Amino acid sequence: MSFAEDSLPNVDLALFDRPTASRLAGVGASTHAPRFLMLYGSLRERSYSKLLTLEAARLLRAMGGEVRIFDPAGLPLPDGAPDTHPKVQELREAAGWAEGMVWTSPERHGAMTGILKAQIDWIPLNVGAVRPTQGKTLAVMQVSGGSQSFNAVNQMRVLGRWMRMLTIPNQSSVAKAFQEFDEAGRMKPSAYYERVVDVMEELMKFTLLTRDVAPYLVDRYSERRESAAELSKRVNQRSI
């Protein structure tokens, strides 16, 4: 079997992307602190997903990151308000600012909460020329009231893929979360806490490795071909 280029009759070879040193250059070029947006999925006064998010935020800051934690209180349901709503604008601005994200949800009825899903649903794949999530890193965590489960993190992984994010391999699932935090809301020393440290450390590493080449990672042949066809159409219309 031949693997010559002429065996690709349905590919426009002029638009075919071949990795080059110049395209892959830039890893480590950024000098600002890695930027992370953190979302959690509960509005309870003592929300364990929020407490876990706060612990993760402390770790990321200690590792040199810059963190924003989005408060979902007041965010309307998707399609329940125009996208000019102040909370929607706040969320979208933060998503565009971030280079990585952390999503943390309670498990409710065997799934992530609607509160977390609503936040993700308000973030589009594209806002003009800006891609709020594509090519950015993602870590997922969940808290459970009972035994350890992975339903919520598995769902969030599916969403991360749909949002074209680089979801890191490691994840955290905290069982019986009510036992894992003290009265002050701090997470107690445990294997669960050490896993959170592992996850944030891995998120930081993946973000540092990929943030400068994120545009290259999400550059797609199909989109280049569509843009080339649209440009050719405009040129032909002008020449008529």
Side-chain angles (χ1 to χ4, degrees), residues 146-227:
S147 59
Q148 191 175 45
S149 169
F150 301 94
N151 293 315
V153 287
N154 287 340
Q155 276 197 324
M156 288 186 280
R157 284 188 175 279
V158 172
L159 278 174
R161 183 171 70 245
W162 183 259
M163 302 301 283
R164 298 173 180 172
M165 303 185 75
L166 303 173
T167 308
I168 66 171
N170 214 342
Q171 61 188 23
S172 170
S173 175
V174 179
K176 296 183 179 179
F178 61 91
Q179 296 180 347
E180 299 302 321
F181 294 86
D182 62 23
E183 290 301 315
R186 295 303 304 270
M187 195 170 185
K188 301 173 184 177
S190 68
Y192 289 132
Y193 179 74
E194 291 187 0
R195 172 57 68 89
V196 176
V197 179
D198 289 345
V199 173
M200 293 305 107
E201 189 176 64
E202 187 171 288
L203 176 65
M204 176 66 75
K205 291 176 181 178
F206 271 71
T207 305
L208 290 171
L209 287 171
T210 62
R211 65 176 179 170
D212 291 317
V213 292
Y216 173 68
L217 295 176
V218 297
D219 186 15
R220 298 176 185 84
Y221 168 80
S222 60
E223 294 178 352
R224 293 194 301 274
R225 186 183 60 78
E226 183 179 351
S227 297

Side-chain angles (χ1 to χ4, degrees), residues 84-100:
T84 54
H85 189 283
K87 289 294 290 187
V88 176
Q89 289 296 304
E90 177 189 349
L91 175 59
R92 291 187 173 184
E93 189 279 328
W97 165 87
E99 296 166 326

Side-chain angles (χ1 to χ4, degrees), residues 94-161:
W97 165 87
E99 296 166 326
M101 294 190 192
V102 180
W103 297 347
T104 306
S105 179
E107 181 173 317
R108 185 170 297 166
H109 298 313
M112 78 178 79
T113 63
I115 294 167
L116 183 66
K117 182 64 162 57
Q119 294 172 73
I120 299 167
D121 284 348
W122 271 118
I123 304 174
L125 283 172
N126 291 287
V127 182
V130 177
R131 292 173 165 175
T133 58
Q134 298 185 58
K136 298 180 179 182
T137 53
L138 171 66
V140 294
M141 303 192 295
Q142 75 170 71
V143 293
S144 301
S147 59
Q148 191 175 45
S149 169
F150 301 94
N151 293 315
V153 287
N154 287 340
Q155 276 197 324
M156 288 186 280
R157 284 188 175 279
V158 172
L159 278 174
R161 183 171 70 245

